[in-house]
Structures are given as C-alpha cells and as structure tokens.
Amino acid sequence: MDNELDTRSLWSCSYGIYVVTSCFEGKANGQIANTVIQVTSEPPRVAVAINKDNVTHEFIARSGVFAVSVLEESTPMPFIGRFGFKSGRDFDKLEGVLSTEGVTGCPCVTENAVSIFEARVFEHVDAGTHTVFVADVVSGKVLSDGKPLTYAAYHANKGKAPKNAPTYRAPEQQKASSAEKTKSKKGESSMKKYVCSVCGYVYDPEEGDPESGVAPGTAFEGLPDDWVCPVCGAGKDEFSPEE
C-alpha cells in the first residue's frame, strides 16, 4: 500500500445526523453535527466534534454542557438547513422549533427527533479546526421508535455537508459523486434539475417548490428572480444544472 491519500476512503465511515445544542448566560444555539459517538457504556460517555468557528462551540466551551437530538430519517431538508447551513449569529435557530429545557439548562430539540440526551463535559481535545468534547451523559429519553437518519442516507437523498463540518467534501468531489449518481437518471425529464452549490438542495421542475408558491412543472428559468433555496436561502445565482 502506497502513501497516497484518497479522502474518499473516509466516506464509507458510518455517521448519524444530530442537532447539538448548548447554552450560556441565557443564550442558546444549535447546529447539525455528524460526529457524535458513544465512547464508553459504564459510565455512559459521549464525544462530539464541533468546529471552533461555530457559536455552539463557544457555548459548549463556556458552559461545559450540551444536548444531542438524534434526528429521524424522515427529517425534512429545511429543518436540517436551519441548523446546518445558517448561522446562530444571524438569527435564533431555536425560535418556533419544538424543544424542552433539560436538566443542564440546554434546550433539547424534540422536533423530528427519535431520542435526546444531555451531557456535561469533563475533557476536551484540540483537533485543529475542531474541538472534541468528551462528556458524561446525565439524562436521556427515547421519543419515538422511528429510524435514525444516517449520514449515508442524508448524502444519497438529501444534501451535502457544510464547509465547517469535519466530513466536508470539496466541490470537485461533490461534482464527481453527483455525476456518478445521476448517470442512470438521464432522460427522465425534459426539464433540467438544478443543484444549490451551498447546501446540495436539488430543484426538480416536476416537483416545483409548493411551499414557496412555485407550482410543479415550473422550469428553473421560470422561477421568480427573488426565489431562494428553501433549505439554506441561497439565491438563484448559486444554482447550476445537475450533470
């Protein structure tokens, strides 16, 4: 085996999709994370990797507590986009989202979640762009018997990772992967699908965007100039034809 590094070799690692929340001095925030793992069973301990540039990182570092919501497979992309492709510095991500206050004071997101748990940090590791927080689980609850959303299913059917994610894939890698997946789909529709370069949302003319008032059968070129991606809010200029 040579020393060449093909980062695609890491793509087969198994992950889930979670909302990680934290709070500090009356403020709260949450974000999408995929690197949440249980590290011991007795006592129950978990580790989570959070980008140092994120507001959630700041809150966890200062308060020493966080909560995790395990998302359901049917979680809609706009919900994931709210926590994964927008910044808590710009708006309150938790406003209007179903949640409950946990024993640590953290908001535990219950909407689209199969389970929730809270943890108190007892160790952290500097991992460069990210910090790995290792914590004791102090509470947990099963909310439904739904199927958890896996990272593989998310990439195959929903979207891609934001740039701050530890599993971020470069645009050229995304393009190659997308091309491979869509080879067998050519010829299905005379109207082209368009892909958001920010979050990976695919605008399908046959489906339209009913929630934004765009009827099925509307070509991308026919969308209003002020139409934005329903997941991340990117403008039409951030879209390109699906290959």
Side-chain angles (χ1 to χ4, degrees):
M1 184 174 178
D2 56 35
N3 292 327
E4 181 181 353
L5 173 60
D6 183 347
T7 56
R8 292 178 300 174
S9 62
L10 299 172
W11 293 7
S12 56
C13 287
S14 180
Y15 303 90
I17 300 289
Y18 315 92
V19 172
V20 175
T21 57
S22 188
C23 57
F24 181 69
E25 294 186 343
K27 297 180 180 179
N29 192 62
Q31 67 165 75
I32 292 293
N34 53 36
T35 46
V36 177
I37 60 171
Q38 182 174 354
V39 293
T40 62
S41 60
E42 191 58 46
R45 287 175 171 170
V46 296
V48 59
I50 303 293
N51 191 287
K52 294 177 181 177
D53 291 335
N54 294 353
V55 177
T56 305
H57 180 283
E58 176 185 338
F59 287 178
I60 295 176
R62 291 187 174 189
S63 68
V65 295
F66 62 86
V68 176
S69 300
V70 181
L71 294 183
E72 198 169 24
E73 191 173 58
S74 60
T75 301
M77 265 304 292
F79 185 87
I80 295 174
R82 179 185 189 92
F83 287 98
F85 293 94
K86 297 178 182 179
S87 173
R89 294 184 175 87
D90 301 327
F91 82 116
D92 184 355
K93 295 185 183 183
L94 294 160
E95 183 179 2
V97 174
L98 297 178
S99 64
T100 183
E101 183 176 326
V103 297
T104 63
C106 290
C108 301
V109 174
T110 56
E111 189 170 345
N112 297 308
V114 297
S115 66
I116 54 176
F117 57 87
E118 297 176 84
R120 294 187 187 277
V121 177
F122 71 87
E123 184 64 89
H124 66 274
V125 179
D126 188 332
T129 58
H130 289 64
T131 297
V132 178
F133 295 102
V134 186
D136 289 308
V137 177
V138 296
S139 73
K141 185 177 182 180
V142 175
L143 303 178
S144 78
D145 58 358
K147 186 176 181 181
L149 174 61
T150 67
Y151 197 57
Y154 167 76
H155 261 289
N157 304 311
K158 295 181 181 289
K160 63 183 182 181
K163 196 167 185 178
N164 280 359
T167 51
Y168 171 70
R169 300 177 186 178
E172 59 271 18
Q173 294 174 316
Q174 289 282 352
K175 187 174 181 181
S177 178
S178 176
E180 288 177 6
K181 288 191 294 183
T182 56
K183 279 180 182 178
S184 62
K185 296 182 180 179
K186 288 184 177 181
E188 287 183 358
S189 173
S190 59
M191 292 187 288
K192 274 196 171 185
K193 297 178 182 179
Y194 278 70
V195 184
C196 177
S197 63
V198 177
C199 70
Y201 165 80
V202 177
Y203 175 76
D204 185 345
E206 292 188 355
E207 296 179 1
D209 181 14
E211 292 187 5
S212 300
V214 178
T218 303
F220 184 82
E221 295 77 9
L223 293 173
D225 292 338
D226 60 354
W227 179 84
V228 297
C229 175
V231 173
C232 68
K236 289 179 64 178
D237 59 339
E238 296 285 354
F239 281 72
S240 58
E242 183 179 66
E243 297 182 3

